[in-house]
Amino acid sequence: MSATSQSPQRSTPTQDSVRRQNLGALLRYVHVSGDTSRAELTNQLGLNRSTIGALTADLAGAGLIDEGAPQETGRAGRPSLVVRPRSSRVYGYALSIEVDRLRAARVGLGGKVLDSRELPRPAGTAVRDTVSILAACLHDMQRAAPADAVFVGSGIAVSRMMRHTDGVVRMLPPGPGATGAAGAETRAGTDLGSALGLDRPPMVGNVADLAALAEHTRGAAAGLDNVIYLHGDASISAGIIAGGRRVTGHGGHGGEVGHMVVNPQGRECGCGSRGCWETEIAQHVSLDRDAVLACVEAARLGDPTARTAVGQAADWLGFGVANLVNIFNPTAVVFGGALRELYLAGATHVRGRLSTMALPACLEHVRLRTPLLGDDAPLVGAAELAFERLLADPLETAEP
Amino acid sequence: MSATSQSPQRSTPTQDSVRRQNLGALLRYVHVSGDTSRAELTNQLGLNRSTIGALTADLAGAGLIDEGAPQETGRAGRPSLVVRPRSSRVYGYALSIEVDRLRAARVGLGGKVLDSRELPRPAGTAVRDTVSILAACLHDMQRAAPADAVFVGSGIAVSRMMRHTDGVVRMLPPGPGATGAAGAETRAGTDLGSALGLDRPPMVGNVADLAALAEHTRGAAAGLDNVIYLHGDASISAGIIAGGRRVTGHGGHGGEVGHMVVNPQGRECGCGSRGCWETEIAQHVSLDRDAVLACVEAARLGDPTARTAVGQAADWLGFGVANLVNIFNPTAVVFGGALRELYLAGATHVRGRLSTMALPACLEHVRLRTPLLGDDAPLVGAAELAFERLLADPLETAEP
C-alpha cells in the first residue's frame, strides 16, 4: 500500500474558512475596541461595505453583536451604523490564583465583568488545593447566569509564587510527574476542568504573562507590539510581547527575569543562585506590596534610611530594565504589581540607569508606564484567554 | 459627507487568496525541505490529494517545481510522486556585509547557491561605502544569469560592527538622519536597491538575526521554535526565535545581549557601560575568531595561562547563557562565530554555570549546539529573506 492512501483526507480550505476568519477578525475588533462604526470596520479590516454588512448580519443573528445608530456627531450626512459587542449572550470564566488571593469572574463579550468573587488564599495552600474553592465560586456564578447564556471557554492566571505557612513567599516547588509552576498550572487547569464538568479545560497562563496580555490588549500598552510588563509580587517576572505576540518559551516558563543574575558578588537567592536581579532589589526594599508602600511613604515623609533604600532599589530596578531594553528593543516597559510604587518613587534612578546602560538605538522609543488595569490585569488577561476559541470561530462556538 | 463614503473600498478575500496561501505554503515546504513526496505534502499541509495535485500543477506550470518518480524505496505499491524545487527558473540575491568581508550570492529556489563572490572588507569601510563594491558583484552575476531566469528579491545581512583603520572593531556609529546600525542597514538597503536599478530595495537584517533564521530554517535548530543563536564576532549579539518567529524588537535593534551587564564591578565597555557580558568574556579571551582559535589551541597543548583564560571565558559565557535561558526558556542555544570554539573548548564550564544559575524548569529541554551552516549562515539567512515575496505569492512574483 502506498503512503498516499494511508494519509488522512482533510478538507480543503474553502470560502467557509475565509468567512470564519473574517467573522473572527470583526468580532475580535469589536470585542477589544467596543462600539465601532461600520466605516471604521471597513477601514481597519480591509473589507468592502457589503462584506462587512454580511458579517455583521451573521454575528447579530448569532446574538454576538448589536447594531444601532451612533451618538449624535454634529456631522452632516447619513451616519455609519455602530456595532457593539453584546455581553449577555456568551460568557467566559476568568480565574486568578495569586499569592494572597483567589479571584473568579464571569465575563461577557467586550470584556464586561458580569459577576465576580474574591477570596483570600490561605497561606500554604498549593495551587491544586485552591481548585475546590474556585470550583465552588464557579458553581455559584453558574447558577446565577441566565439559562440561555452560552459558556464559551475559560482562562486561568496562576502565580508561580506561593506564601508558605511560615509567611515566606517562595516559588512553587516542582510536583511529581510535572515540572515546576507550569506543571502546577497544567494540573490546576485539568483539575478545574473536571471539577466543573467543563467539556474543555481552562487555558492556563502565569500571572505576569496574562497581565501583559491584558495591558497589551486593553491597557497601558494597547497598540504597542513590543512590550515588557514587569510584575513585582514577592519576586519579579515578566510578561513579554514581541512583534505583537506573547513570548512564553518552550514550556511556558520564560520571563523569569527576576533570576537574571546582575551581580556575581550579590546576595544568595532562594533559587540557589547569587545576585539575582530581584534579590539585589529586595535587599533594599522587600518586593512585598505592603512593604514597598510603607517604605515609599516613609521616604516621602523624609525618613533618610527609607529614602536611601528606595533610591538604591530603584537604581537596581533600572539596572535590570536596561538589560531587558538591550535584549528586546521594546516600545514600552510597564511596571506592575509592587514595582509600580517603586518605579513612581524612584523614576529618576530608573531613567538614570537606562541612560547610561541602555544602547541609544534600543532605548530610543521606549516609554516607561504604569498599568492602566491595576490589580485586575491578570484576571482581564485570563478573560482574554477564555474568549480565544470564540474569536477563532464565532458562529460554531456560540451555538447553544 | 459620512465617514463611510470616504473609506477605501478594498477587495474581499476570496477563493483566490486561499489558493495563493496554499501555493505559498506548498512552495515554502518544498523550498525548505527539498524533495518531498505528494503524500508528505498531503499530510503536512492538511490538504486533500486533489488540491495538492492542482497546486503542484500550477507551480510546475510556472516553472517553480518539477515532479518525478521517487528513488526506489523497496516498498510495494504505486509510489507517491516526488515534488522538487526548481532552482533555475527564479533566483534571489543574498548579500552579507560582515566585519572583515563582503559576500554576494545568486541563489535559486531550494536555497541552491548558483553563483557567488567574496571580497575582503577593507578596514574603515563604512556600510554605505561597501555598496558600490557589492553592486559591481551583483552586476557581474546578473550578466552571467540565464536570460529567462526571473529575479524575485534580495536580502542583505549587515554586521553592526566594523573594523576601524586602527584595527579595532567597534559598533557602527549612528549616522545623520538615522539611528545606529539599523539606520545604516536601511540606508544600505535603499542605496543598493537604487545602485542596482532593482524595482524594490533588499530586505535587511543584522548578521546574528539572519544567521539565526538560517539555522532555524535549515540548520542546527531546524524544527525548533524557541532558539537563541549567539553570534560572536568581536562583540556578542543574538538572533532570537520565539514561538517560531524572529524577535527583533521595535526598530530591529533587539538581541544586543552582549551589552547585558552581568558585573557591576566589571571592566569598562566600549558602549559606555561597565561589566557588559561581552566585556567580561573578552577580558579573558578576545572575541576575535583568530584570537579564540589561538587561545583554544594553546590550551589544548597544555599552556596553563591559556587553559585558565579559556576556563574563565567559558565560565562567563555560561553565566550569560543562563540568564538568557531564564528569560526565554528556549529549546536550543546555538554558539556561532567565535563563540563556537570557545563553547567547544569550555563546554564543562558552560554547563556548570547553567546547572547552578538556570531555573530547572527553564533549562529542562535546552540543547546546546554548534551551527550546522558555519560561516555561511548569515548569507543563507539573507537568501531566505530574498524569497519571502515569492513564497507569499508564488505565481504573481514568478511572472517574467
Side-chain angles (χ1 to χ4, degrees):
Chain A
M1 193 161 67
S2 79
T4 305
S5 61
Q6 296 175 325
S7 68
Q9 299 297 308
R10 300 187 202 158
S11 65
T12 314
T14 60
Q15 203 76 5
D16 262 4
S17 75
V18 172
R19 178 165 156 270
R20 196 159 50 232
Q21 202 175 312
N22 287 338
L23 286 165
L26 196 160
L27 192 60
R28 184 181 295 274
Y29 194 88
V30 173
H31 168 65
V32 171
S33 308
D35 294 10
T36 307
S37 72
R38 277 203 189 189
E40 184 178 341
L41 290 171
T42 308
N43 271 325
Q44 293 292 330
L45 302 180
L47 300 170
N48 65 31
R49 288 166 68 177
S50 65
T51 302
I52 294 288
L55 296 171
T56 54
D58 284 349
L59 292 171
L64 296 170
I65 60 167
D66 290 313
E67 288 199 280
Q71 305 276 322
E72 187 53 60
T73 61
R75 295 170 70 190
R78 193 160 65 94
S80 179
L81 282 174
V82 164
V83 178
R84 302 188 173 93
R86 192 166 161 192
S87 58
S88 59
R89 164 72 175 180
V90 295
Y91 66 90
Y93 286 124
L95 305 162
S96 181
I97 303 177
E98 299 168 46
V99 171
D100 283 329
R101 62 181 168 175
L102 306 172
R103 290 193 284 174
R106 195 166 69 84
V107 184
L109 197 60
K112 183 170 180 183
V113 175
L114 304 167
D115 195 357
S116 67
R117 303 284 186 279
E118 181 173 334
L119 295 162
R121 176 180 175 184
T125 318
V127 168
R128 61 180 170 280
D129 298 328
T130 64
V131 169
S132 58
I133 306 173
L134 286 170
C137 289
L138 292 207
H139 274 301
D140 198 34
M141 291 195 290
Q142 207 156 27
R143 272 197 301 275
D148 63 342
V150 178
F151 167 75
V152 294
S154 58
I156 173 168
V158 180
S159 173
R160 285 173 179 158
M161 309 297 291
M162 70 177 283
R163 185 177 299 278
H164 291 254
T165 41
D166 57 10
V168 176
V169 177
R170 284 192 287 263
M171 191 171 288
L172 287 168
T179 309
E185 288 162 13
T186 308
R187 283 197 306 279
T190 311
D191 291 357
L192 254 177
S194 48
L196 288 167
L198 300 176
D199 54 349
R200 61 189 66 236
M203 292 179 70
V204 180
N206 74 63
V207 162
D209 280 339
L210 295 187
L213 174 62
E215 292 291 345
H216 170 63
T217 309
R218 301 176 182 280
L224 302 178
D225 277 351
N226 294 280
V227 178
I228 297 170
Y229 173 92
L230 296 170
H231 189 71
D233 179 18
S235 68
I236 300 180
S237 49
I240 296 160
I241 308 279
R245 290 165 180 269
R246 293 161 64 207
V247 173
T248 58
H250 173 68
H253 304 286
E256 287 290 358
V257 296
H259 298 285
M260 165 174 67
V261 176
V262 292
N263 188 5
Q265 285 83 42
R267 295 212 175 171
E268 276 187 31
C269 174
C271 76
S273 193
R274 178 183 287 279
C276 290
W277 185 29
E278 63 185 45
T279 315
E280 294 306 293
I281 296 176
Q283 73 172 291
H284 299 291
V285 177
S286 165
L287 284 169
D288 182 89
R289 180 86 61 102
D290 294 339
V292 171
L293 278 173
C295 190
V296 163
E297 179 63 9
R300 199 183 63 78
L301 295 174
D303 179 296
T305 312
R307 291 185 67 161
T308 305
V310 166
Q312 289 180 325
D315 188 61
W316 276 115
L317 179 60
F319 193 107
V321 170
N323 279 354
L324 296 175
V325 163
N326 286 343
I327 294 170
F328 287 103
N329 182 204
T331 39
V333 178
V334 184
F335 296 87
L339 295 181
R340 180 180 183 277
E341 312 308 325
L342 181 58
Y343 163 66
L344 289 174
T348 316
H349 296 270
V350 173
R351 292 185 185 278
R353 275 292 183 187
L354 279 172
S355 69
T356 55
M357 287 176 55
L359 299 175
C362 295
L363 185 62
E364 191 183 10
H365 297 282
V366 175
R367 282 166 272 193
L368 304 182
R369 301 217 165 148
T370 53
L372 277 186
L373 302 168
D375 292 344
D376 288 339
L379 203 61
V380 172
E384 295 307 319
L385 287 189
F387 285 109
E388 273 307 312
R389 198 166 62 97
L390 177 77
L391 298 177
D393 188 355
L395 302 189
E396 185 76 22
T397 309
E399 263 185 16
Chain B
M1 192 163 65
S2 81
T4 304
S5 61
Q6 295 176 324
S7 69
Q9 299 296 310
R10 299 187 204 159
S11 65
T12 313
T14 61
Q15 202 76 4
D16 263 3
S17 76
V18 173
R19 178 165 157 271
R20 195 158 52 231
Q21 202 176 313
N22 287 338
L23 286 166
L26 197 160
L27 192 61
R28 184 182 295 273
Y29 194 88
V30 173
H31 169 66
V32 171
S33 310
D35 294 11
T36 308
S37 72
R38 277 204 189 188
E40 184 178 340
L41 290 171
T42 308
N43 272 325
Q44 293 292 330
L45 302 180
L47 300 171
N48 66 30
R49 288 166 67 177
S50 65
T51 302
I52 293 289
L55 296 171
T56 54
D58 284 348
L59 293 170
L64 296 170
I65 60 167
D66 290 313
E67 288 199 280
Q71 305 277 322
E72 187 54 60
T73 61
R75 295 170 70 190
R78 193 160 64 94
S80 179
L81 283 174
V82 163
V83 178
R84 300 187 174 92
R86 193 167 160 192
S87 59
S88 58
R89 165 72 176 181
V90 295
Y91 65 92
Y93 286 123
L95 306 162
S96 181
I97 303 176
E98 299 168 46
V99 171
D100 283 329
R101 61 181 170 177
L102 305 173
R103 291 194 285 174
R106 194 167 69 85
V107 184
L109 197 59
K112 184 170 180 182
V113 174
L114 304 167
D115 195 357
S116 68
R117 303 284 186 279
E118 181 173 334
L119 294 162
R121 176 180 175 184
T125 318
V127 168
R128 61 181 169 279
D129 298 328
T130 64
V131 168
S132 60
I133 306 173
L134 286 169
C137 290
L138 293 207
H139 274 300
D140 199 34
M141 292 195 289
Q142 206 158 29
R143 273 197 300 276
D148 63 341
V150 177
F151 167 76
V152 296
S154 57
I156 173 167
V158 181
S159 173
R160 284 173 180 159
M161 309 297 291
M162 71 177 283
R163 186 177 299 279
H164 291 254
T165 41
D166 57 10
V168 176
V169 176
R170 283 191 288 261
M171 191 171 291
L172 287 169
T179 309
E185 288 162 12
T186 308
R187 284 197 306 278
T190 311
D191 291 356
L192 254 176
S194 49
L196 288 167
L198 300 177
D199 54 349
R200 62 188 66 236
M203 292 178 70
V204 179
N206 75 62
V207 163
D209 279 338
L210 295 187
L213 174 63
E215 293 290 345
H216 171 62
T217 308
R218 302 177 182 278
L224 302 178
D225 277 350
N226 293 279
V227 178
I228 296 169
Y229 172 92
L230 296 171
H231 189 72
D233 179 19
S235 67
I236 299 180
S237 49
I240 295 159
I241 308 280
R245 289 162 182 271
R246 293 161 65 207
V247 173
T248 57
H250 173 68
H253 303 286
E256 288 291 356
V257 297
H259 297 286
M260 164 174 66
V261 176
V262 292
N263 188 4
Q265 286 83 41
R267 294 213 176 170
E268 276 186 31
C269 174
C271 76
S273 193
R274 178 184 286 280
C276 289
W277 184 29
E278 63 184 45
T279 315
E280 294 305 293
I281 297 176
Q283 73 171 293
H284 300 291
V285 177
S286 164
L287 284 170
D288 182 88
R289 181 86 61 101
D290 294 338
V292 171
L293 278 173
C295 189
V296 163
E297 180 62 10
R300 199 183 63 78
L301 294 174
D303 179 296
T305 311
R307 290 185 67 162
T308 305
V310 166
Q312 289 181 325
D315 189 61
W316 276 115
L317 180 60
F319 193 106
V321 170
N323 278 355
L324 296 175
V325 163
N326 286 344
I327 295 171
F328 287 104
N329 182 205
T331 39
V333 178
V334 184
F335 296 88
L339 294 181
R340 179 179 183 278
E341 312 308 326
L342 181 58
Y343 163 67
L344 289 174
T348 316
H349 295 271
V350 173
R351 291 185 185 281
R353 274 293 182 187
L354 278 172
S355 68
T356 55
M357 286 176 54
L359 299 176
C362 296
L363 185 61
E364 191 183 10
H365 296 283
V366 175
R367 284 166 269 192
L368 304 183
R369 302 214 165 150
T370 54
L372 277 185
L373 302 168
D375 292 344
D376 288 339
L379 203 61
V380 172
E384 295 307 318
L385 287 190
F387 284 109
E388 273 306 311
R389 198 167 62 98
L390 177 77
L391 299 177
D393 188 356
L395 302 189
E396 185 75 21
T397 309
E399 263 184 17

